Amino acid sequence: MRSNPEHPGGGLQHVPRVSSGLVTRRHLLERLDGPAPIVVLHAGSGTGKTTLLAQWAHQHASAAAGTVAWIAADEGTRTRTGYWMRVLGRLHSCGVIDDATLYREMAAIADEPEAIAATLTRLLAAAGRNLTLILDDFANPAGGSSWDAVCLDLIEIVRAVPAVRCIAAGRYPSLLERPGTAASLDIAVLSEPELELTEHEIRQMLAQHVPGLAPASLQQVAGHPAARRIASLRYAIDALGQALLARDDAGVDIDEVLIAAARQDILARISDPEVLDFVGATAHAPVLDAELAGRLTGRHDAEVLLTGIEHAGAGQWSHGGPDRAPVFRYSAHLRAAAAQDYARRHPARVRRIHFLIAQWLNDVRGERLAAFEHALRSGDLDYAARVLMRAYPMSAEDNAHVSRLLGSLPALTIHRHPLLALRYALVLNASAETQSRAAEFFTSAGLMSRLRPGALTPLERAIQQSLESAVQRLLGQHKRMRDLALSALPVLTQAVDDPERDEGLDAMTLVSITQCAMGLFYADEPEQSREAHLLAARFAEQLHWRHRRNEAYANLGMIHALAGNVRGARAALAAIDPGDWPETWHDSYTVTPERIARAWVLLSEGRPEEALEETRGILRHIDTIEHWELISSVRALAEVMAGRAQEASSRWEHITGQRRDRRTLPSTHRHIAVTEALLALARGAAPGNDRTGRSRRPAAVSALAALSAAAEGRSDEAVPLLAGAKVEARTPVDRMIAAVVAVRLALSGGIGLDATGPGLRLATIVESDQLRWPLALMPEADRAALLAALTDAGSTGAARILTEACAIVPPMLPDEAPRHPAPPALTSREREVLLVLIETDKRSEIAARLFVSVNTVKAHLRSLYAKLGASSREEALTRALHYGLLRPPSSGHGEDAPEPPRSSLG
């Protein structure tokens, strides 16, 4: 086989070679050069569509003519997203887009297929060069209904970017040809009759290839309708050439030859069974190089045989891309027939054939989904699972396709293969309709990976553990989540720096590091979480996946901001390049941590309304995202600082009432408790029951409880609560809230504290961490008193720092706020339960007295205890007595009036 010539600038990568001896069809090439921005070639097999496009592409292989990107549809382009990912890959190999852009935009269209046209329009407009997209085998049946969406995308792109043209060729009709599809866009269509060879072109080819053909035979062939198809004519030329070699052209039945050619029955004239087996075996591959053909058939002359098939018009060689061998693609009509014939004659060999093809597609071509399908057909499910783990990112359409393929297998078969079970679980978990089925496959993936440790490499095992950790996080399994993340992270860290690592797993490795980092964050291991996010940022930079680098710094910024390290949050946010985010991600799940971090920074700058605006775009994720509490808490505090404490409390109670359940992690309960304590303080109420269970009470909650206890005259409780808060404080925000409370208690008198010490701690935190928002908890009078005390003590530097900080963050509590907290607002039913609680603590008796169910009583008691900040009956009654709530409600008929008891008769 003759090797492909070098293609200038990579502009002719993947373009088929133009075989020698073909006539130059100038009138058709001129049609392709016409003014129409979209040209469609619609004709059956063997009409020379691909040959004509290859001739045109080679004529335009110059920098002045622009870039030619050749895209042939195959098993990897079944879906709309898959097709446009292939286009992005071709644009990258042609130098139109760089590495970072490729990875960023592939992630964008995988997440949001509706953004495909806008994404391609933006990229191609920015490229600033003439570009022709040649789309071969367009609208084939494998793509199904997705072709309509591809056509509409194409029209929108070409209409918006004048420098882009498109030539689409296919055997099947498409939306591009329907009248009215693009009324304002010129679409030229070349149909089958226009692609037929003229008699002059037929004579040219016969004269070139069969120069000794008798005039009568020449006339008969030139006038035969079947010869008008290039494939049929080349078939006939081959037969006539062999007859001439045997000096028997007169004995050739021209009609029979051309009728067989019209049927494209190339297999029928292969007399050598070994050559027939060669064609049948190699036809199973969507494309192949000479090396794969040799592996499939054991033949050393594979290259010569494939070149002969090319000369017969049944396939074409094309450039395989940078640093790749040329590849051969059979004509669609021959490939299907030959593969089917081979499978019928040699059924026992087919599985091995598919396995070798799967290996080649995965290792050489990097076409994961096509490799996965062939691996499934081979029956090697462990290998299929390994290939599928490397298929990332996948669009929702590709996920659905994989789900259908796996869904055709017996569930028990999937359960036996840990990686396959894990990947299937991830596919199921990606859709709300199938999430309920995901849990059993996550479980079996973890179980079988332990029962079959040899089935996974250490890196695959670590990936499996990290993803299982993410699932345990969503299920609220704190210990299992933490243990799996800690087990996986060292292996993932080692892989990042291993030059011999399996690069096919790079994407899943990065995802796994991120999942471990989030698991450790929710496990209250902030230092290890930060280290993991820094590792993710370094790895993403190493891979040129800058959108994933942004993601790592966004998560890092959020962790710093939540801890109160505003300086660290600012540094992480400064490392984010907004231009590296995919266009579709600006208010997505992935950028939520960045929005949260920026909101906390804005609060420390005294800009609560801007903090609310920063998080407005991610509000839609509160119902679905695991960070729901982190979004809600920063917004609640922003509302309070903006002077809307009651509205903030109402929204907070609604959201937590909906989202908090038995799967809520202890760390989330602690975050919730801190926010509820802050909201209670803003309303002038006592901090409620923090519901953190057996885990430690948050330091901030203990500090705020000390403030409440002192306000209620319980100084003996306030001092140990504050002391405990100081001991438990691990973050700048905890230490600052404790210092604010210490200042307020010291200035209130009667506790024996000095305001200067905590005042100095406040100044230190403000200066080192740039944290200011907790100063909003200090009323104006206390601020003035503290500054005076610091000045009197000679700490003028600290006084200056706090003066500047207090000027930025105004107090959220007015000076006239009551020192004694206001009573909580109880509903009429909660008041009834409270009064009955005086007489009995048995839920069944309370239910009988009020004619309600026991479960209803439990719900009212939970709400009542939370509002009173109590954890027992005795504590609830004590607090109710303090608030003056142990009086029967009035008989009015307002909103809080008790409902009349319901009788058993209704």
Side-chain angles (χ1 to χ4, degrees):
M1 185 196 74
R2 295 184 299 275
S3 61
N4 270 350
E6 285 295 316
H7 297 308
L12 286 181
Q13 291 174 13
H14 311 284
V15 176
R17 184 180 64 185
V18 178
S19 299
S20 59
L22 292 176
V23 294
T24 300
R25 313 191 68 189
R26 302 189 190 284
H27 66 292
L28 293 179
L29 293 173
E30 289 173 2
R31 291 285 301 278
L32 297 183
D33 277 328
I38 296 180
V39 181
V40 178
L41 282 66
H42 175 202
S45 298
T47 51
K49 302 181 297 297
T50 300
T51 299
L52 179 64
L53 293 181
Q55 286 182 335
W56 185 90
H58 281 274
Q59 283 190 1
H60 291 73
S62 68
T67 301
V68 175
W70 185 288
I71 299 96
D74 58 25
E75 294 167 1
T77 58
R78 295 178 183 274
T79 64
R80 174 192 184 187
T81 307
Y83 192 81
W84 287 111
M85 282 190 172
R86 175 66 58 81
V87 172
L88 283 174
R90 290 290 186 266
L91 295 177
H92 175 256
S93 64
C94 292
V96 177
I97 59 176
D98 60 20
D99 291 349
T101 303
L102 172 68
Y103 303 137
R104 180 184 70 231
E105 303 305 344
M106 286 183 74
I109 66 174
D111 283 352
E112 188 57 62
E114 295 308 315
I116 286 173
T119 298
L120 268 293
T121 296
R122 175 169 42 78
L123 290 178
L124 296 177
R129 66 168 80 180
N130 293 327
L131 171 70
T132 301
L133 299 174
I134 297 183
L135 312 178
D136 197 18
D137 201 14
F138 192 73
N140 65 51
S145 60
S146 66
W147 285 114
D148 285 353
V150 171
C151 290
L152 293 175
D153 292 333
L154 194 60
I155 290 168
E156 186 175 337
I157 293 165
V158 172
R159 180 182 283 133
V161 189
V164 175
R165 293 188 73 229
C166 171
I167 305 174
R171 293 168 290 151
Y172 302 92
S174 73
L175 193 66
L176 295 176
E177 302 159 60
R178 294 183 199 168
T181 295
S184 62
L185 195 66
D186 183 15
I187 298 180
V189 179
L190 276 67
S191 60
E192 187 161 325
E194 295 173 278
L195 291 172
E196 290 180 348
L197 292 166
T198 64
E199 185 171 335
H200 175 67
E201 290 170 334
I202 295 172
R203 288 179 177 275
Q204 277 186 294
M205 290 184 64
L206 289 171
Q208 184 172 353
H209 292 282
V210 201
L213 190 65
S217 297
L218 175 65
Q219 181 62 37
Q220 189 177 2
V221 174
H224 200 290
R228 295 172 190 167
R229 285 177 174 246
I230 285 183
S232 302
L233 180 60
R234 291 173 72 177
Y235 181 105
I237 285 172
D238 194 26
L240 290 167
Q242 292 181 31
L244 283 175
L245 287 174
R247 303 182 182 279
D248 190 25
D249 67 306
V252 175
D253 188 332
I254 300 294
D255 277 335
E256 183 178 334
V257 168
L258 288 170
I259 288 170
R263 292 199 310 266
Q264 298 165 4
D265 192 9
I266 297 176
L267 293 178
R269 55 177 277 252
I270 299 177
S271 57
D272 187 336
E274 291 186 0
V275 175
L276 189 64
D277 281 350
F278 173 86
V279 173
T282 55
H284 282 82
V287 293
L288 73 164
D289 60 12
E291 182 182 354
L292 175 62
R295 290 176 62 200
L296 293 176
T297 61
R299 296 189 66 119
H300 300 293
D301 58 348
E303 190 172 310
V304 174
L305 288 172
L306 290 173
T307 302
I309 293 169
E310 180 187 41
H311 289 161
Q316 285 177 305
W317 286 101
S318 62
H319 194 283
D323 303 319
R324 288 181 178 177
V327 293
F328 186 84
R329 185 185 302 270
Y330 278 100
S331 299
H333 63 276
L334 174 62
R335 184 186 170 213
Q340 186 176 12
D341 175 70
Y342 183 88
R344 178 182 55 79
R345 291 184 293 107
H346 303 295
R349 301 180 188 175
V350 172
R351 286 197 168 196
R352 177 65 177 167
I353 293 287
H354 280 300
F355 179 76
L356 293 173
I357 293 171
Q359 279 190 320
W360 182 79
L361 287 170
N362 181 62
D363 298 342
V364 177
R365 301 281 293 179
E367 296 181 10
R368 312 294 186 200
L369 288 181
F372 169 67
E373 292 195 43
H374 283 279
L376 281 184
R377 292 173 195 160
S378 77
D380 191 329
L381 298 188
D382 281 330
Y383 185 71
R386 284 198 162 90
V387 170
L388 193 57
M389 289 297 289
R390 291 154 177 79
Y392 184 88
M394 281 206 320
S395 67
E397 296 169 303
D398 288 333
N399 267 325
H401 179 60
V402 169
S403 180
R404 286 192 295 272
L405 290 173
L406 293 178
S408 65
L409 300 175
L412 185 59
T413 300
I414 299 175
H415 285 309
R416 288 173 179 164
H417 298 80
L419 284 182
L420 203 60
L422 175 64
R423 200 65 174 88
Y424 190 38
L426 292 172
V427 169
L428 293 173
N429 198 60
S431 171
E433 291 78 17
T434 55
Q435 278 179 344
S436 60
R437 296 177 52 209
E440 63 173 291
F441 291 96
F442 278 124
T443 302
S444 67
L447 176 62
M448 292 306 296
S449 67
R450 292 187 289 275
L451 294 178
R452 297 180 59 201
L456 306 180
T457 66
L459 180 56
E460 288 170 342
R461 169 77 171 146
I463 290 172
Q464 182 269 326
Q465 287 179 323
S466 69
L467 298 178
E468 188 182 348
S469 171
V471 175
Q472 298 299 326
R473 186 169 80 241
L474 298 176
L475 295 175
Q477 300 299 311
H478 171 270
K479 185 177 185 305
R480 184 73 178 142
M481 167 195 75
R482 176 183 178 276
D483 291 348
L484 286 165
L486 289 174
S487 176
L489 196 53
V491 179
L492 297 170
T493 303
Q494 184 179 5
V496 168
D497 297 315
D498 183 1
E500 303 299 322
R501 71 177 183 274
D502 182 350
E503 293 184 1
L505 285 172
D506 280 351
M508 289 305 297
T509 298
L510 183 55
V511 169
S512 298
I513 293 169
T514 301
Q515 292 299 338
C516 286
M518 293 312 301
L520 293 170
F521 165 72
Y522 277 104
D524 279 337
E525 300 286 354
E527 191 58 42
Q528 293 187 71
S529 178
R530 284 193 290 269
E531 289 299 319
H533 282 306
L534 285 171
L535 175 67
R538 178 164 64 85
F539 192 36
E541 185 71 41
Q542 179 181 324
L543 298 173
H544 304 291
W545 295 353
R546 296 195 181 95
H547 59 298
R548 293 297 179 188
R549 174 184 174 277
N550 273 3
E551 179 186 11
Y553 278 113
N555 287 322
L556 198 61
M558 181 182 73
I559 293 172
H560 280 309
L562 291 168
N565 181 2
V566 178
R567 186 185 298 275
R570 283 197 175 104
L573 293 172
I576 295 173
D577 184 344
D580 287 336
W581 285 124
E583 193 73 22
T584 56
W585 283 18
H586 286 301
D587 284 322
S588 69
Y589 169 95
T590 310
V591 301
T592 295
E594 180 191 2
R595 297 281 187 266
I596 293 170
R598 292 193 187 281
W600 281 112
V601 170
L602 287 167
L603 288 186
S604 274
E605 294 172 356
R607 298 151 65 187
E609 295 291 358
E610 292 178 51
L612 289 169
E613 187 59 35
E614 183 69 38
T615 55
R616 197 176 309 282
I618 57 174
L619 275 176
R620 60 193 174 97
H621 300 303
I622 282 183
D623 291 335
T624 57
I625 197 172
E626 62 180 322
H627 300 327
W628 64 269
E629 171 272 324
L630 304 179
I631 301 172
S632 303
S633 59
V634 70
R635 287 186 61 83
L637 191 58
E639 291 267 25
V640 167
M641 292 177 67
R644 299 187 290 272
Q646 200 58 51
E647 294 177 34
S649 295
S650 297
R651 290 193 185 93
W652 176 263
E653 288 178 10
H654 174 73
I655 292 168
T656 55
Q658 285 187 322
R659 293 303 310 270
R660 183 161 51 181
D661 57 27
R662 60 183 178 82
R663 293 178 297 180
T664 302
L665 289 164
S667 59
T668 302
H669 278 304
R670 286 192 286 274
H671 296 157
I672 290 172
V674 172
T675 303
E676 289 181 340
L678 290 168
L679 289 172
L681 182 65
R683 296 194 314 269
N689 180 14
D690 58 74
R691 292 173 63 177
T692 52
R694 292 172 293 176
S695 60
R696 68 180 187 275
R697 192 180 202 186
V701 173
S702 295
L704 295 172
L707 188 63
S708 177
E712 295 173 4
R714 294 180 284 113
S715 300
D716 56 330
E717 295 181 29
V719 173
L721 281 170
L722 181 59
K726 290 178 181 178
V727 171
E728 287 293 328
R730 300 182 179 185
T731 63
V733 71
D734 285 343
R735 291 192 289 272
M736 194 167 193
I737 289 176
V740 167
V741 170
V743 167
R744 292 187 61 180
L745 293 182
L747 294 174
S748 68
I751 294 185
L753 296 176
D754 176 24
T756 306
L760 291 172
R761 289 197 296 274
L762 286 176
T764 300
I765 294 170
V766 170
E767 187 173 35
S768 63
D769 298 299
Q770 298 180 351
L771 178 63
R772 302 186 191 93
W773 70 258
L775 293 174
L777 304 175
M778 191 182 300
E780 195 64 56
D782 286 350
R783 293 178 175 207
L786 172 61
L787 295 174
L790 289 171
T791 302
D792 291 344
S795 301
T796 54
R800 176 183 53 78
I801 291 170
L802 292 180
T803 298
E804 293 172 358
C806 288
I808 293 172
V809 180
M812 68 180 184
L813 304 174
D815 285 339
E816 62 270 17
R819 287 290 181 179
H820 293 284
L826 303 184
T827 66
S828 58
R829 183 61 78 187
E830 287 168 350
R831 290 183 182 181
E832 289 179 341
V833 171
L834 180 61
L835 293 175
V836 179
L837 197 63
I838 298 172
E839 303 175 26
T840 179
D841 62 350
K842 293 182 178 178
R843 292 172 175 79
S844 58
E845 291 185 16
I846 298 173
R849 291 275 297 272
L850 298 178
F851 300 102
V852 295
S853 70
V854 172
N855 285 337
T856 299
V857 170
K858 290 179 181 178
H860 285 311
L861 285 172
R862 281 196 299 270
S863 176
L864 182 62
Y865 283 12
K867 289 181 178 181
L868 292 172
S871 58
S872 67
R873 173 178 176 248
E874 289 72 19
E875 190 177 359
L877 293 175
T878 300
R879 288 182 177 271
L881 182 62
H882 173 77
Y883 287 128
L885 294 174
L886 297 183
R887 293 187 299 271
S890 66
S891 59
H893 298 288
E895 182 181 350
D896 288 335
E899 299 173 13
R902 297 173 184 158
S903 72
S904 58
L905 298 176

